[in-house]
Amino acid sequence: MHQRAKKPPARRKLLPSGLVSDVLRESMSKRPITEPAAVTDCSFRGPRTAYTPSPRMRSRTMSHAALALCVMLAAGAMMPSPAAAQSFTYNTRPPKAPSPRVANDNQMLVQATTVEYDTNNSRVSAVGNVQLFYNGTSVEADRVIYDQKTKRLHAEGNIRMTDADGKITYANSLDLADDYRDGFVDSLRVETEDQTRMAATRADRSKGNTTVFENGVYTACAPCRDDPKKPPLWQVKGARIIHDQTEKMLYFENAQLEMFGVPLAYIPYFSTPDPTVKRKSGFLMPGFSQATGYGVGVDIPYYWAIDGSYDATFTPRLTSKQGVLLQTEFRQRLDGGSYQVRLYGIDQLDRNAFAGQPGDRELRGGIDTKGQFALSDKWTFGWDGVLLSDYTFLSDYRLAQYRDPYNAFMTLPTEAISQLYLTGVGSRSFFDLRAMHYLSFSGNQQTVPVVYPVLDYSNVLDTAVLGGEFSYKTNFVNLSREQAAFDPITTTASTTGLCTALSADPAARLPAQCLLRATPGTYTRLSAQAEWRRSYTDPLGQIWTPFAILRADAINANVTAQPGVGNFLPTGDTQALRLMPTLGLEYRYPFINVQSWGTTTIEPIAQVMVRPNEASAGRLPNEDAQSLVFDASNLFSVDKFSGYGRVEGGGRANVGVQASTQFDRGGTVSGLFGQSTQLFGLNSYGVQDSNNTGIGSGLDKTVSDYVTRVDYSPNRTYTLSMRSRLDQQSLNVQRFEAEGKVNFDRWSAALTYGNYAAQPAIGYLDRREGLLGNGSVKVAQNWVVSGGARWDLVANKMNQYLVGAGYVDDCFTLAASYVTSSNYAVAGAAPQINQTVMLTLGLRTIGNVSLPVPVN
């Protein structure tokens, strides 16, 4: 006997979840079949034994109980995890509008067009636009049936289940037990919030925690907009995909990887954590490498999630020539920071592969570590450390710390730093204390310094002093070095050998032929500087800024008397106190012109400084001020030396003019032109020291070279910048750099031109001129072609270049590149040009594989 009661869509009902089955059973035994399906709101609370519904109320109780049961069973039964829930065929119907959800209060919200009751067969059916909402999960279907005899829930027709995490499951039919533990879903499709998809012809759930997907397919690619039935770019098919919710693991059986629907690889079995797991122990994606010394290498990393705050990765590398290289990385995150330790070790099977090199030994290995901790919101403590069996170990085995240069024009590092540091940052202050040890990758370990400690502190007072700003800073350094290092500055073979050979005649190591780049012995210096300045603007708009600076350096140097060192510096103990008081005045007078097309500002600038000569100029070790480039960026610097090893002395005037124009329709142009003049006293830049710092810089003359800068940007697409230094007498170009960039939607390019005159005093005997360019073109929606080159215009040859192509979309990455790089790892040897082909394949949510293939 079967009757149907039709009404407009029912209002939403709230029903407690704990008594659904009991209410349903009692209602089925007492309720007449002719009563309407859903009427006014009904909320049932309290135990069943304390409640006897009237016939009309029993009607409401039964219909809502049945629908509530649907939601309870559907919400927890067949939902696969995000990793297992990907789809390879897609629903072409437009998605339904998001449905409202209720709070997680164990009550259900129900909607349906009609409800059918079959008392003879003990069945209740909700028909037409069935919607159920429970604890953030919603279920939509054309029809939902509950069978009391079998205690099974069955849903069919356009099933859409959305959980609280945004995961959406589509199915044609769904069948579950009322305790959620067992059931199956036919024609299952799942879409997760992170845009991963899964499909299966059938899914069976058993034991309440294991779901088996038959003929499952997984992908992280979005469907083709023009043809949703078209296979995605990649997908993984499995005869069976098992989701163990207790272990939170996905197991793939008889899996194969397909690209564009074409099978590429077959994997009998593999497993992966489901995406609800952030960290889980297991094997990671293998890695591949190749090098002459160890042959072909395969890395097989195993990740161990020890605890929520620390983990470890064990990565044995199986090599074809040297056996197994063991690698271990341990990481831990604490409340205030984190640290990591990496260990390496190998017992080489063929040490002769590195014959005559530091790697010619059986046991090789190393350790590196780093960490950083926030002691407060202002203070940070940390360290970096490297210890190796030999200095070529990391490069020979292409390990992480060495950072192989597979990016364009990245040269190999020449050293690694082990350091311990403490840093503090205030609103207007800075503190940094560290001890450093340099590990040379070029075999010159005795010439690199050990620095312990180096201290920097600076502060700007918040309160005014004599109406102006008062600041101070200090620097302390103590370092030691075992061996001197010389560089030749002439091209004759005899001189070059004398400057580099350890057994050279000390008398031949003269400043005319060599530079003393590294001073042996110990060097200690304490520097302190205080500065006051105040700006005034007079009624004419002129800006006057007087300033006063006092700097003091206390130096103790114990220079070891090695061959030739005495020709550059006094050997033995040297103590010096260097004072440099400075009084100065800076003047600016900006002129502003506003027109209908834009605003132009022209500003003459003059700076005059009065101070004594530099004490002990050129007679003290210079450790941190060896580099000096005079250009527009430091024209108005009070001291143009780059560090504390030297200090500018004597009276000096810096003059120039800068101008800028801002166009109303967009675009800017700016420029600067200036010169520096030694007014009186000793010109520090003309004094020869052990490194010839300042010689040939353009400042070593009474009247310096001219420096210029021009920047032009008509819009966001184009930028042009030019910097130059011109001889003050002949206007010959001593240094010129021009850089242009263009950036469109589909392509971008950059070109840099450099032209540098010879500087024989610091070892550059010939003019250097070259071009460096790079660019990329988006040839299609997802395809990019890139390239770069450096052209030596003097030698008329290309010495570095890169070409590459790549495909990138939301789920797939494919790239191939060919690069060259210069290797300076071997002391005293000419640079070796390395050529490498790099292949990279990446599948989103699966992993990336990179395969470097050296050409030589």
Side-chain angles (χ1 to χ4, degrees):
M1 184 174 181
H2 191 134
Q3 295 183 6
R4 173 178 297 183
K6 296 184 178 180
K7 285 190 69 68
R11 300 180 184 179
R12 295 172 183 171
K13 315 298 189 297
L14 291 174
L15 193 67
S17 62
L19 304 174
V20 173
S21 297
D22 290 340
V23 171
L24 178 61
R25 296 185 184 100
E26 181 172 341
S27 300
M28 287 292 293
S29 64
K30 298 179 180 180
R31 187 173 189 279
I33 62 173
T34 57
E35 296 195 7
V39 284
T40 58
D41 289 349
C42 173
S43 179
F44 172 72
R45 303 180 185 275
R48 177 180 61 83
T49 57
Y51 179 76
T52 304
S54 64
R56 183 174 181 83
M57 187 59 71
R58 286 197 301 268
S59 163
R60 301 179 214 136
T61 304
M62 179 187 140
S63 63
H64 300 130
L67 296 179
L69 179 60
C70 296
V71 135
M72 294 179 61
L73 299 180
M78 301 305 298
M79 294 297 294
S81 70
Q86 319 300 324
S87 174
F88 67 103
T89 59
Y90 305 97
N91 187 8
T92 56
R93 299 180 306 158
K96 297 181 180 180
S99 303
R101 297 181 180 179
V102 296
N104 295 338
D105 56 2
N106 291 326
Q107 293 187 348
M108 280 143 284
L109 202 59
V110 180
Q111 278 185 300
T113 302
T114 62
V115 173
E116 299 175 351
Y117 306 98
D118 187 346
T119 55
N120 291 338
N121 297 314
S122 300
R123 291 180 180 178
V124 181
S125 303
V127 181
N129 297 323
V130 182
Q131 292 182 308
L132 308 102
F133 309 95
Y134 172 73
N135 277 359
T137 298
S138 68
V139 176
E140 304 171 45
D142 294 341
R143 184 183 182 92
V144 176
I145 303 171
Y146 177 72
D147 190 319
Q148 186 187 14
K149 293 179 180 179
T150 61
K151 298 181 180 180
R152 304 290 292 187
L153 175 73
H154 181 78
E156 59 186 29
N158 299 317
I159 299 172
R160 173 188 170 109
M161 184 185 301
T162 305
D163 69 3
D165 297 327
K167 182 169 54 181
I168 302 174
T169 302
Y170 299 95
N172 290 335
S173 65
L174 177 149
D175 191 284
L176 300 172
D178 63 1
D179 61 359
Y180 317 161
R181 296 180 58 82
D182 303 298
F184 67 87
V185 180
D186 285 334
S187 301
L188 172 73
R189 294 182 301 106
V190 180
E191 297 179 6
T192 65
E193 196 170 36
D194 64 349
Q195 302 303 309
T196 55
R197 297 164 175 85
M198 181 177 174
T201 58
R202 179 185 174 94
D204 292 277
R205 181 181 178 86
S206 60
K207 300 180 182 180
N209 59 8
T210 302
T211 304
V212 179
F213 301 92
E214 301 291 343
N215 300 319
V217 181
Y218 168 88
T219 186
C221 299
C224 177
R225 295 181 181 179
D226 299 331
D227 184 6
K229 295 183 179 180
K230 182 180 179 180
L233 197 150
W234 67 265
Q235 60 187 7
V236 178
K237 288 185 176 181
R240 293 198 338 150
I241 302 175
I242 303 171
H243 181 204
D244 191 320
Q245 291 176 299
T246 301
E247 298 181 1
K248 296 186 177 181
M249 288 290 294
L250 291 166
Y251 300 92
F252 292 76
E253 297 179 358
N254 296 323
Q256 65 181 21
L257 172 65
E258 293 186 358
M259 301 285 294
F260 300 102
V262 178
L264 292 183
Y266 171 75
I267 307 174
Y269 176 86
F270 77 94
S271 62
T272 182
D274 69 35
T276 62
V277 179
K278 301 300 182 183
R279 303 163 62 251
K280 189 172 181 64
S281 301
F283 287 98
L284 305 179
M285 187 69 68
F288 304 92
S289 61
Q290 190 272 337
T292 303
Y294 64 83
V296 177
V298 179
D299 289 4
I300 307 175
Y302 181 84
Y303 175 76
W304 181 21
I306 304 173
D307 199 349
S309 62
Y310 54 98
D311 55 30
T313 304
F314 305 97
T315 311
R317 176 182 295 178
L318 309 179
T319 69
S320 59
K321 292 183 179 180
Q322 300 295 350
V324 180
L325 170 67
L326 299 178
Q327 307 171 69
T328 299
E329 179 179 11
F330 177 84
R331 303 182 305 171
Q332 184 172 18
R333 180 174 295 278
L334 303 175
D335 291 339
S338 63
Y339 70 94
Q340 71 177 42
V341 180
R342 287 184 290 197
L343 302 171
Y344 314 92
I346 186 172
D347 185 356
Q348 296 187 137
L349 299 180
D350 181 16
R351 56 182 294 179
N352 293 327
F354 304 100
Q357 303 176 33
D360 186 4
R361 59 176 68 190
E362 291 184 358
L363 297 178
R364 302 181 70 184
I367 178 174
D368 70 78
T369 177
K370 64 179 178 180
Q372 183 169 296
F373 294 87
L375 305 180
S376 68
D377 60 341
K378 294 182 174 61
W379 291 94
T380 301
F381 165 77
W383 71 85
D384 297 277
V386 182
L387 182 63
L388 302 175
S389 60
D390 56 90
Y391 65 85
T392 63
F393 170 69
L394 294 176
S395 60
D396 286 344
Y397 284 92
R398 300 182 179 274
L399 295 173
Q401 179 66 29
Y402 196 67
R403 299 183 301 274
D404 281 336
Y406 294 129
N407 294 325
F409 311 134
M410 184 184 296
T411 58
L412 294 172
T414 59
E415 59 198 19
I417 301 178
S418 297
Q419 59 181 339
L420 188 68
Y421 60 88
L422 175 66
T423 301
V425 179
S427 59
R428 305 186 73 185
S429 61
F430 175 78
F431 175 93
D432 186 86
L433 174 65
R434 61 187 64 212
M436 296 183 291
H437 178 272
Y438 293 89
L439 173 63
S440 173
F441 288 152
S442 58
N444 298 318
Q445 186 62 41
Q446 294 181 329
T447 65
V448 297
V450 177
V451 184
Y452 54 94
V454 58
L455 168 68
D456 284 287
Y457 177 71
S458 62
N459 186 33
V460 180
L461 297 185
D462 294 329
T463 58
V465 176
L466 300 177
E469 180 185 83
F470 183 82
S471 63
Y472 58 92
K473 60 182 179 180
T474 185
N475 172 266
F476 175 79
V477 64
N478 180 77
L479 63 85
S480 62
R481 183 183 290 106
E482 295 182 12
Q483 183 68 47
F486 295 88
D487 277 347
I489 56 176
T490 60
T491 57
T492 61
S494 58
T495 302
T496 300
L498 290 172
C499 291
T500 57
L502 296 178
S503 59
D505 181 4
R509 288 181 174 171
L510 300 174
Q513 289 100 13
C514 304
L515 299 177
L516 178 61
R517 289 297 191 188
T519 303
T522 60
Y523 174 77
T524 304
R525 175 181 43 77
L526 174 63
S527 300
Q529 177 174 303
E531 180 176 355
W532 173 90
R533 62 174 55 232
R534 181 179 181 181
S535 293
Y536 301 88
T537 303
D538 64 18
L540 298 178
Q542 302 175 105
I543 303 173
W544 305 83
T545 304
F547 58 88
I549 302 174
L550 176 61
R551 172 175 158 182
D553 301 297
I555 301 169
N556 179 67
N558 185 356
V559 179
T560 304
Q562 294 181 2
V565 174
N567 296 331
F568 297 83
L569 294 171
T571 58
D573 287 333
T574 301
Q575 290 81 32
L577 178 63
R578 187 170 59 194
L579 296 176
M580 183 57 65
T582 301
L583 292 176
L585 177 66
E586 183 178 283
Y587 169 81
R588 295 172 181 260
Y589 195 5
F591 296 87
I592 301 176
N593 182 21
V594 179
Q595 299 290 337
S596 59
W597 44 265
T599 301
T600 299
T601 301
I602 300 177
E603 184 179 34
I605 306 173
Q607 191 181 65
V608 178
M609 289 159 290
V610 178
R611 56 199 167 192
N613 295 334
E614 177 187 7
S616 303
R619 301 304 297 165
L620 296 172
N622 176 11
E623 292 289 345
D624 62 354
Q626 296 185 14
S627 175
L628 175 62
V629 176
F630 176 48
D631 58 18
S633 65
N634 59 5
L635 171 62
F636 295 103
S637 297
V638 176
D639 189 339
K640 298 176 181 60
F641 285 111
S642 58
Y644 290 95
R646 295 288 304 274
V647 61
E648 182 179 312
R652 181 168 288 274
N654 303 315
V655 296
V657 59
Q658 67 179 5
S660 64
T661 297
Q662 177 71 50
F663 300 99
D664 289 345
R665 294 186 177 182
T668 60
V669 59
S670 63
L672 184 146
F673 179 86
Q675 191 179 39
S676 182
T677 302
Q678 185 75 21
L679 299 178
F680 59 85
L682 179 67
N683 184 352
S684 297
Y685 303 107
V687 176
Q688 188 178 34
D689 63 11
S690 59
N691 305 284
N692 284 347
T693 305
I695 303 300
S697 66
L699 289 166
D700 52 336
K701 299 169 284 190
T702 301
V703 180
S704 77
D705 291 342
Y706 299 106
V707 291
T708 68
R709 171 184 56 81
V710 176
D711 298 305
Y712 175 56
S713 178
N715 47 47
R716 295 182 178 180
T717 302
Y718 303 94
T719 58
L720 177 64
S721 178
M722 292 183 292
R723 301 169 295 277
S724 67
R725 177 165 65 86
L726 309 176
D727 185 88
Q728 60 93 15
Q729 291 184 341
S730 64
L731 296 182
N732 291 333
V733 175
Q734 302 299 306
R735 186 181 185 91
F736 179 80
E737 295 174 335
E739 182 180 22
K741 295 181 179 180
V742 58
N743 191 350
F744 289 95
D745 292 336
R746 298 185 64 87
W747 64 278
S748 62
L751 181 65
T752 302
Y753 169 77
N755 190 337
Y756 311 98
Q759 292 179 272
I762 59 175
Y764 295 108
L765 306 181
D766 301 309
R767 174 176 291 274
R768 293 151 291 153
E769 185 178 13
L771 285 170
L772 175 64
N774 59 80
S776 64
V777 180
K778 188 176 182 181
V779 296
Q781 181 178 0
N782 303 107
W783 286 96
V784 176
V785 176
S786 60
R790 188 173 69 182
W791 190 276
D792 186 340
L793 296 176
V794 175
N796 193 26
K797 67 178 181 179
M798 186 183 301
N799 51 27
Q800 287 187 335
Y801 52 92
L802 157 74
V803 291
Y807 177 92
V808 180
D809 63 14
D810 61 335
C811 68
F812 178 71
T813 301
L814 176 65
S817 61
Y818 173 75
V819 300
T820 65
S821 60
S822 299
N823 185 353
Y824 296 89
V826 181
Q832 176 185 359
I833 302 300
N834 293 326
Q835 304 177 67
T836 302
V837 175
M838 171 65 77
L839 303 176
T840 302
L841 174 66
L843 306 179
R844 187 171 72 88
T845 74
I846 297 293
N848 297 325
V849 176
S850 295
L851 179 61
V853 182
V855 177
N856 58 350

